[in-house]
Amino acid sequence: MSSESGASAPEKALVATHSSARRDWKAKARSVKRAAKRFSKKVLGWLMIALGFVCLAAGFLLIIVPGHYFLVVVGLILILRNAYWARRQFVHLKRRHPNWIMPLRKLLRRNPQVASVFWQQVLKFERMVLRGRGQLVGIRRRFLRKPRTV
């Protein structure tokens, strides 16, 4: 009762069952690996967001000390890369206040031109100070103005 290949029918069934069980085991192993990878990506994302907020807070606390502006930028990079809601909020701010967000956008690029951004901000600050004869008139005027309705 052997077939052409020399194996009996029950042996063929056993081999077929063994290969299907092996296939099922491999599929389960793949799905477990995918789930573990997804979970680790989520955890790593949340850790990066937390680290971003720590950098942001440290940058704002040390803002009076020169040279710690990069902590704010690093914190923003970490948060914006890992949080969808933060990216949406950043885009909203970019559209609403383009002149305020422009320096940050330039610093968040791959090859930021830090010196030019710094120089532009110095010139902008100087213009505000000189216009008001030593007083920060531009800031006061801008924040006391009623918002425009669209």
Side-chain angles (χ1 to χ4, degrees):
M1 296 239 169
S2 63
S3 62
E4 296 171 8
S5 66
S8 65
E11 288 174 1
K12 281 187 175 181
L14 182 62
V15 170
T17 306
H18 179 68
S19 66
S20 68
R22 188 174 197 168
R23 228 177 305 141
D24 292 343
W25 179 80
K26 283 185 177 181
K28 285 181 183 178
R30 261 188 256 121
S31 68
V32 168
K33 281 184 182 178
R34 273 191 226 118
K37 195 172 187 176
R38 261 186 271 132
F39 179 73
S40 65
K41 269 189 164 182
K42 285 249 187 219
V43 169
L44 187 64
W46 283 104
L47 287 175
M48 289 300 208
I49 291 171
L51 183 65
F53 276 117
V54 168
C55 284
L56 207 59
F60 280 128
L61 288 176
L62 297 173
I63 202 107
I64 57 173
V65 181
H68 290 285
Y69 184 66
F70 75 94
L71 281 175
V72 175
V73 174
V74 168
L76 274 175
I77 288 172
L78 289 174
I79 293 171
L80 291 174
R81 292 247 173 159
N82 294 299
Y84 181 73
W85 58 268
R87 267 183 259 147
R88 275 196 340 239
Q89 188 67 31
F90 189 75
V91 168
H92 173 73
L93 285 173
K94 179 178 73 171
R95 290 181 182 151
R96 183 139 187 193
H97 307 286
N99 291 335
W100 294 359
I101 302 298
M102 182 271 307
L104 284 175
R105 286 184 58 222
K106 283 188 174 182
L107 290 174
L108 292 175
R109 292 180 183 159
R110 284 206 187 273
N111 296 321
Q113 299 171 346
V114 179
S116 71
V117 171
F118 177 73
W119 184 247
Q120 287 173 357
Q121 294 308 307
V122 167
L123 291 176
K124 190 184 286 187
F125 183 75
E126 188 177 278
R127 214 174 340 168
M128 278 194 301
V129 170
L130 290 179
R131 189 177 353 158
R133 293 183 209 96
Q135 300 168 357
L136 295 177
V137 177
I139 291 175
R140 189 174 58 220
R141 219 182 289 143
R142 192 177 300 147
F143 286 112
L144 292 177
R145 194 179 317 150
K146 291 182 181 177
R148 291 186 230 166
T149 56
V150 179

mmCIF file of all heavy atoms in Angstrom, residues 46-80:
data_model
loop_
_atom_site.group_PDB
_atom_site.id
_atom_site.type_symbol
_atom_site.label_atom_id
_atom_site.label_comp_id
_atom_site.label_asym_id
_atom_site.label_seq_id
_atom_site.Cartn_x
_atom_site.Cartn_y
_atom_site.Cartn_z
ATOM 1 N N TRP A 46 7.144 57.251 23.930
ATOM 2 C CA TRP A 46 6.731 57.946 25.146
ATOM 3 C C TRP A 46 7.942 58.403 25.960
ATOM 4 O O TRP A 46 7.938 59.492 26.547
ATOM 5 C CB TRP A 46 5.823 57.067 26.003
ATOM 6 C CG TRP A 46 4.434 57.017 25.463
ATOM 7 C CD1 TRP A 46 3.843 56.012 24.774
ATOM 8 C CD2 TRP A 46 3.457 58.052 25.545
ATOM 9 N NE1 TRP A 46 2.566 56.354 24.422
ATOM 10 C CE2 TRP A 46 2.303 57.598 24.884
ATOM 11 C CE3 TRP A 46 3.451 59.330 26.104
ATOM 12 C CZ2 TRP A 46 1.155 58.378 24.774
ATOM 13 C CZ3 TRP A 46 2.297 60.096 25.992
ATOM 14 C CH2 TRP A 46 1.176 59.613 25.330
ATOM 15 N N LEU A 47 8.990 57.574 26.002
ATOM 16 C CA LEU A 47 10.205 57.983 26.711
ATOM 17 C C LEU A 47 10.861 59.191 26.042
ATOM 18 O O LEU A 47 11.354 60.092 26.716
ATOM 19 C CB LEU A 47 11.192 56.818 26.777
ATOM 20 C CG LEU A 47 10.831 55.693 27.746
ATOM 21 C CD1 LEU A 47 11.824 54.544 27.614
ATOM 22 C CD2 LEU A 47 10.797 56.207 29.166
ATOM 23 N N MET A 48 10.858 59.206 24.715
ATOM 24 C CA MET A 48 11.431 60.349 24.001
ATOM 25 C C MET A 48 10.611 61.615 24.239
ATOM 26 O O MET A 48 11.179 62.705 24.370
ATOM 27 C CB MET A 48 11.509 60.061 22.502
ATOM 28 C CG MET A 48 12.551 59.041 22.169
ATOM 29 S SD MET A 48 14.146 59.628 22.690
ATOM 30 C CE MET A 48 15.177 58.828 21.554
ATOM 31 N N ILE A 49 9.290 61.483 24.288
ATOM 32 C CA ILE A 49 8.444 62.645 24.578
ATOM 33 C C ILE A 49 8.746 63.165 25.986
ATOM 34 O O ILE A 49 8.886 64.376 26.201
ATOM 35 C CB ILE A 49 6.952 62.283 24.419
ATOM 36 C CG1 ILE A 49 6.630 62.052 22.941
ATOM 37 C CG2 ILE A 49 6.063 63.370 24.993
ATOM 38 C CD1 ILE A 49 5.248 61.490 22.706
ATOM 39 N N ALA A 50 8.869 62.238 26.953
ATOM 40 C CA ALA A 50 9.183 62.652 28.328
ATOM 41 C C ALA A 50 10.547 63.332 28.389
ATOM 42 O O ALA A 50 10.702 64.375 29.047
ATOM 43 C CB ALA A 50 9.147 61.437 29.255
ATOM 44 N N LEU A 51 11.532 62.762 27.695
ATOM 45 C CA LEU A 51 12.860 63.379 27.658
ATOM 46 C C LEU A 51 12.805 64.751 26.987
ATOM 47 O O LEU A 51 13.492 65.691 27.410
ATOM 48 C CB LEU A 51 13.841 62.464 26.925
ATOM 49 C CG LEU A 51 15.283 62.935 26.851
ATOM 50 C CD1 LEU A 51 15.887 62.984 28.248
ATOM 51 C CD2 LEU A 51 16.084 62.014 25.955
ATOM 52 N N GLY A 52 11.969 64.871 25.962
ATOM 53 C CA GLY A 52 11.799 66.161 25.298
ATOM 54 C C GLY A 52 11.230 67.212 26.237
ATOM 55 O O GLY A 52 11.689 68.362 26.254
ATOM 56 N N PHE A 53 10.235 66.820 27.042
ATOM 57 C CA PHE A 53 9.664 67.771 27.999
ATOM 58 C C PHE A 53 10.677 68.135 29.085
ATOM 59 O O PHE A 53 10.718 69.281 29.542
ATOM 60 C CB PHE A 53 8.383 67.213 28.624
ATOM 61 C CG PHE A 53 7.165 67.441 27.775
ATOM 62 C CD1 PHE A 53 6.456 66.379 27.262
ATOM 63 C CD2 PHE A 53 6.735 68.723 27.482
ATOM 64 C CE1 PHE A 53 5.346 66.582 26.473
ATOM 65 C CE2 PHE A 53 5.625 68.945 26.693
ATOM 66 C CZ PHE A 53 4.926 67.868 26.192
ATOM 67 N N VAL A 54 11.513 67.172 29.489
ATOM 68 C CA VAL A 54 12.549 67.474 30.478
ATOM 69 C C VAL A 54 13.546 68.474 29.892
ATOM 70 O O VAL A 54 13.926 69.445 30.561
ATOM 71 C CB VAL A 54 13.257 66.170 30.935
ATOM 72 C CG1 VAL A 54 14.519 66.474 31.722
ATOM 73 C CG2 VAL A 54 12.306 65.329 31.766
ATOM 74 N N CYS A 55 13.972 68.249 28.648
ATOM 75 C CA CYS A 55 14.899 69.184 27.997
ATOM 76 C C CYS A 55 14.262 70.564 27.838
ATOM 77 O O CYS A 55 14.918 71.585 28.050
ATOM 78 C CB CYS A 55 15.316 68.656 26.631
ATOM 79 S SG CYS A 55 16.508 67.326 26.704
ATOM 80 N N LEU A 56 12.992 70.584 27.468
ATOM 81 C CA LEU A 56 12.282 71.847 27.297
ATOM 82 C C LEU A 56 12.204 72.605 28.621
ATOM 83 O O LEU A 56 12.482 73.809 28.673
ATOM 84 C CB LEU A 56 10.879 71.554 26.763
ATOM 85 C CG LEU A 56 10.181 72.593 25.936
ATOM 86 C CD1 LEU A 56 10.998 72.912 24.701
ATOM 87 C CD2 LEU A 56 8.829 72.070 25.510
ATOM 88 N N ALA A 57 11.858 71.892 29.701
ATOM 89 C CA ALA A 57 11.764 72.533 31.012
ATOM 90 C C ALA A 57 13.134 73.032 31.471
ATOM 91 O O ALA A 57 13.260 74.149 31.989
ATOM 92 C CB ALA A 57 11.186 71.556 32.030
ATOM 93 N N ALA A 58 14.168 72.205 31.276
ATOM 94 C CA ALA A 58 15.517 72.626 31.670
ATOM 95 C C ALA A 58 15.958 73.829 30.842
ATOM 96 O O ALA A 58 16.599 74.751 31.369
ATOM 97 C CB ALA A 58 16.498 71.472 31.491
ATOM 98 N N GLY A 59 15.618 73.833 29.565
ATOM 99 C CA GLY A 59 15.977 74.966 28.718
ATOM 100 C C GLY A 59 15.297 76.251 29.156
ATOM 101 O O GLY A 59 15.901 77.321 29.153
ATOM 102 N N PHE A 60 14.017 76.145 29.548
ATOM 103 C CA PHE A 60 13.313 77.344 29.997
ATOM 104 C C PHE A 60 13.812 77.810 31.364
ATOM 105 O O PHE A 60 13.832 79.003 31.650
ATOM 106 C CB PHE A 60 11.805 77.114 30.029
ATOM 107 C CG PHE A 60 11.169 77.227 28.675
ATOM 108 C CD1 PHE A 60 10.361 76.218 28.195
ATOM 109 C CD2 PHE A 60 11.392 78.325 27.872
ATOM 110 C CE1 PHE A 60 9.778 76.308 26.949
ATOM 111 C CE2 PHE A 60 10.816 78.430 26.620
ATOM 112 C CZ PHE A 60 10.008 77.411 26.158
ATOM 113 N N LEU A 61 14.215 76.876 32.224
ATOM 114 C CA LEU A 61 14.766 77.276 33.518
ATOM 115 C C LEU A 61 16.134 77.927 33.367
ATOM 116 O O LEU A 61 16.478 78.843 34.110
ATOM 117 C CB LEU A 61 14.873 76.064 34.447
ATOM 118 C CG LEU A 61 13.556 75.520 34.983
ATOM 119 C CD1 LEU A 61 13.804 74.259 35.797
ATOM 120 C CD2 LEU A 61 12.847 76.562 35.836
ATOM 121 N N LEU A 62 16.922 77.463 32.403
ATOM 122 C CA LEU A 62 18.269 77.986 32.205
ATOM 123 C C LEU A 62 18.341 79.038 31.105
ATOM 124 O O LEU A 62 19.429 79.355 30.630
ATOM 125 C CB LEU A 62 19.216 76.832 31.868
ATOM 126 C CG LEU A 62 19.384 75.782 32.954
ATOM 127 C CD1 LEU A 62 20.191 74.620 32.429
ATOM 128 C CD2 LEU A 62 20.033 76.386 34.186
ATOM 129 N N ILE A 63 17.202 79.576 30.685
ATOM 130 C CA ILE A 63 17.184 80.524 29.563
ATOM 131 C C ILE A 63 17.936 81.810 29.906
ATOM 132 O O ILE A 63 18.431 82.482 29.007
ATOM 133 C CB ILE A 63 15.743 80.807 29.107
ATOM 134 C CG1 ILE A 63 15.728 81.311 27.681
ATOM 135 C CG2 ILE A 63 15.076 81.851 29.948
ATOM 136 C CD1 ILE A 63 15.226 80.307 26.724
ATOM 137 N N ILE A 64 18.048 82.127 31.190
ATOM 138 C CA ILE A 64 18.757 83.348 31.569
ATOM 139 C C ILE A 64 20.261 83.182 31.405
ATOM 140 O O ILE A 64 20.984 84.157 31.274
ATOM 141 C CB ILE A 64 18.417 83.773 33.014
ATOM 142 C CG1 ILE A 64 18.728 82.648 33.999
ATOM 143 C CG2 ILE A 64 16.981 84.215 33.129
ATOM 144 C CD1 ILE A 64 18.592 83.029 35.455
ATOM 145 N N VAL A 65 20.743 81.920 31.396
ATOM 146 C CA VAL A 65 22.165 81.657 31.195
ATOM 147 C C VAL A 65 22.415 81.564 29.693
ATOM 148 O O VAL A 65 21.728 80.828 28.992
ATOM 149 C CB VAL A 65 22.570 80.332 31.886
ATOM 150 C CG1 VAL A 65 24.044 80.063 31.693
ATOM 151 C CG2 VAL A 65 22.203 80.369 33.352
ATOM 152 N N PRO A 66 23.368 82.293 29.157
ATOM 153 C CA PRO A 66 23.600 82.245 27.713
ATOM 154 C C PRO A 66 24.056 80.853 27.256
ATOM 155 O O PRO A 66 24.810 80.174 27.936
ATOM 156 C CB PRO A 66 24.711 83.262 27.482
ATOM 157 C CG PRO A 66 24.933 83.956 28.751
ATOM 158 C CD PRO A 66 24.245 83.223 29.829
ATOM 159 N N GLY A 67 23.569 80.460 26.098
ATOM 160 C CA GLY A 67 24.011 79.209 25.506
ATOM 161 C C GLY A 67 23.124 78.014 25.765
ATOM 162 O O GLY A 67 23.402 76.926 25.274
ATOM 163 N N HIS A 68 22.083 78.150 26.541
ATOM 164 C CA HIS A 68 21.214 77.014 26.829
ATOM 165 C C HIS A 68 19.953 77.008 25.961
ATOM 166 O O HIS A 68 19.009 76.279 26.247
ATOM 167 C CB HIS A 68 20.830 76.989 28.305
ATOM 168 C CG HIS A 68 21.976 76.640 29.180
ATOM 169 N ND1 HIS A 68 22.447 75.358 29.280
ATOM 170 C CD2 HIS A 68 22.776 77.393 29.964
ATOM 171 C CE1 HIS A 68 23.466 75.335 30.110
ATOM 172 N NE2 HIS A 68 23.687 76.569 30.537
ATOM 173 N N TYR A 69 19.962 77.803 24.923
ATOM 174 C CA TYR A 69 18.832 77.828 23.996
ATOM 175 C C TYR A 69 18.706 76.495 23.256
ATOM 176 O O TYR A 69 17.631 76.086 22.878
ATOM 177 C CB TYR A 69 19.020 78.988 23.011
ATOM 178 C CG TYR A 69 17.880 79.190 22.062
ATOM 179 C CD1 TYR A 69 16.636 79.589 22.526
ATOM 180 C CD2 TYR A 69 18.032 78.974 20.705
ATOM 181 C CE1 TYR A 69 15.586 79.781 21.665
ATOM 182 C CE2 TYR A 69 16.996 79.161 19.834
ATOM 183 C CZ TYR A 69 15.774 79.564 20.318
ATOM 184 O OH TYR A 69 14.736 79.741 19.462
ATOM 185 N N PHE A 70 19.850 75.796 23.092
ATOM 186 C CA PHE A 70 19.822 74.533 22.362
ATOM 187 C C PHE A 70 18.988 73.483 23.090
ATOM 188 O O PHE A 70 18.452 72.574 22.463
ATOM 189 C CB PHE A 70 21.241 74.016 22.120
ATOM 190 C CG PHE A 70 21.892 73.426 23.331
ATOM 191 C CD1 PHE A 70 21.816 72.068 23.559
ATOM 192 C CD2 PHE A 70 22.576 74.210 24.235
ATOM 193 C CE1 PHE A 70 22.409 71.505 24.673
ATOM 194 C CE2 PHE A 70 23.173 73.669 25.339
ATOM 195 C CZ PHE A 70 23.092 72.304 25.573
ATOM 196 N N LEU A 71 18.863 73.572 24.425
ATOM 197 C CA LEU A 71 18.029 72.611 25.153
ATOM 198 C C LEU A 71 16.562 72.735 24.740
ATOM 199 O O LEU A 71 15.862 71.737 24.621
ATOM 200 C CB LEU A 71 18.162 72.817 26.661
ATOM 201 C CG LEU A 71 19.401 72.240 27.320
ATOM 202 C CD1 LEU A 71 19.454 72.635 28.773
ATOM 203 C CD2 LEU A 71 19.442 70.744 27.167
ATOM 204 N N VAL A 72 16.115 73.963 24.526
ATOM 205 C CA VAL A 72 14.744 74.170 24.069
ATOM 206 C C VAL A 72 14.562 73.554 22.688
ATOM 207 O O VAL A 72 13.574 72.869 22.419
ATOM 208 C CB VAL A 72 14.397 75.675 24.055
ATOM 209 C CG1 VAL A 72 13.030 75.923 23.466
ATOM 210 C CG2 VAL A 72 14.489 76.260 25.448
ATOM 211 N N VAL A 73 15.532 73.757 21.812
ATOM 212 C CA VAL A 73 15.449 73.219 20.452
ATOM 213 C C VAL A 73 15.488 71.690 20.471
ATOM 214 O O VAL A 73 14.705 71.027 19.785
ATOM 215 C CB VAL A 73 16.572 73.796 19.565
ATOM 216 C CG1 VAL A 73 16.583 73.140 18.203
ATOM 217 C CG2 VAL A 73 16.397 75.298 19.429
ATOM 218 N N VAL A 74 16.370 71.101 21.282
ATOM 219 C CA VAL A 74 16.448 69.640 21.375
ATOM 220 C C VAL A 74 15.147 69.071 21.935
ATOM 221 O O VAL A 74 14.634 68.063 21.441
ATOM 222 C CB VAL A 74 17.657 69.224 22.254
ATOM 223 C CG1 VAL A 74 17.602 67.746 22.621
ATOM 224 C CG2 VAL A 74 18.946 69.535 21.542
ATOM 225 N N GLY A 75 14.602 69.721 22.948
ATOM 226 C CA GLY A 75 13.317 69.281 23.507
ATOM 227 C C GLY A 75 12.206 69.336 22.465
ATOM 228 O O GLY A 75 11.401 68.405 22.349
ATOM 229 N N LEU A 76 12.165 70.417 21.700
ATOM 230 C CA LEU A 76 11.158 70.529 20.645
ATOM 231 C C LEU A 76 11.348 69.450 19.577
ATOM 232 O O LEU A 76 10.365 68.871 19.089
ATOM 233 C CB LEU A 76 11.221 71.904 19.994
ATOM 234 C CG LEU A 76 10.422 72.994 20.674
ATOM 235 C CD1 LEU A 76 10.683 74.319 19.997
ATOM 236 C CD2 LEU A 76 8.948 72.685 20.652
ATOM 237 N N ILE A 77 12.588 69.180 19.211
ATOM 238 C CA ILE A 77 12.838 68.144 18.210
ATOM 239 C C ILE A 77 12.327 66.799 18.699
ATOM 240 O O ILE A 77 11.635 66.077 17.972
ATOM 241 C CB ILE A 77 14.345 68.068 17.877
ATOM 242 C CG1 ILE A 77 14.767 69.285 17.071
ATOM 243 C CG2 ILE A 77 14.670 66.795 17.110
ATOM 244 C CD1 ILE A 77 16.261 69.394 16.872
ATOM 245 N N LEU A 78 12.646 66.447 19.939
ATOM 246 C CA LEU A 78 12.209 65.154 20.473
ATOM 247 C C LEU A 78 10.697 65.056 20.548
ATOM 248 O O LEU A 78 10.117 64.019 20.222
ATOM 249 C CB LEU A 78 12.831 64.926 21.855
ATOM 250 C CG LEU A 78 14.325 64.646 21.877
ATOM 251 C CD1 LEU A 78 14.827 64.596 23.309
ATOM 252 C CD2 LEU A 78 14.624 63.346 21.162
ATOM 253 N N ILE A 79 10.057 66.129 20.967
ATOM 254 C CA ILE A 79 8.596 66.094 21.085
ATOM 255 C C ILE A 79 7.939 66.052 19.714
ATOM 256 O O ILE A 79 7.030 65.253 19.464
ATOM 257 C CB ILE A 79 8.097 67.302 21.905
ATOM 258 C CG1 ILE A 79 8.557 67.171 23.352
ATOM 259 C CG2 ILE A 79 6.579 67.406 21.847
ATOM 260 C CD1 ILE A 79 8.318 68.397 24.185
ATOM 261 N N LEU A 80 8.398 66.901 18.796
ATOM 262 C CA LEU A 80 7.761 66.963 17.479
ATOM 263 C C LEU A 80 7.986 65.695 16.655
ATOM 264 O O LEU A 80 7.161 65.346 15.818
ATOM 265 C CB LEU A 80 8.261 68.184 16.706
ATOM 266 C CG LEU A 80 7.809 69.527 17.250
ATOM 267 C CD1 LEU A 80 8.482 70.651 16.490
ATOM 268 C CD2 LEU A 80 6.314 69.663 17.195
#
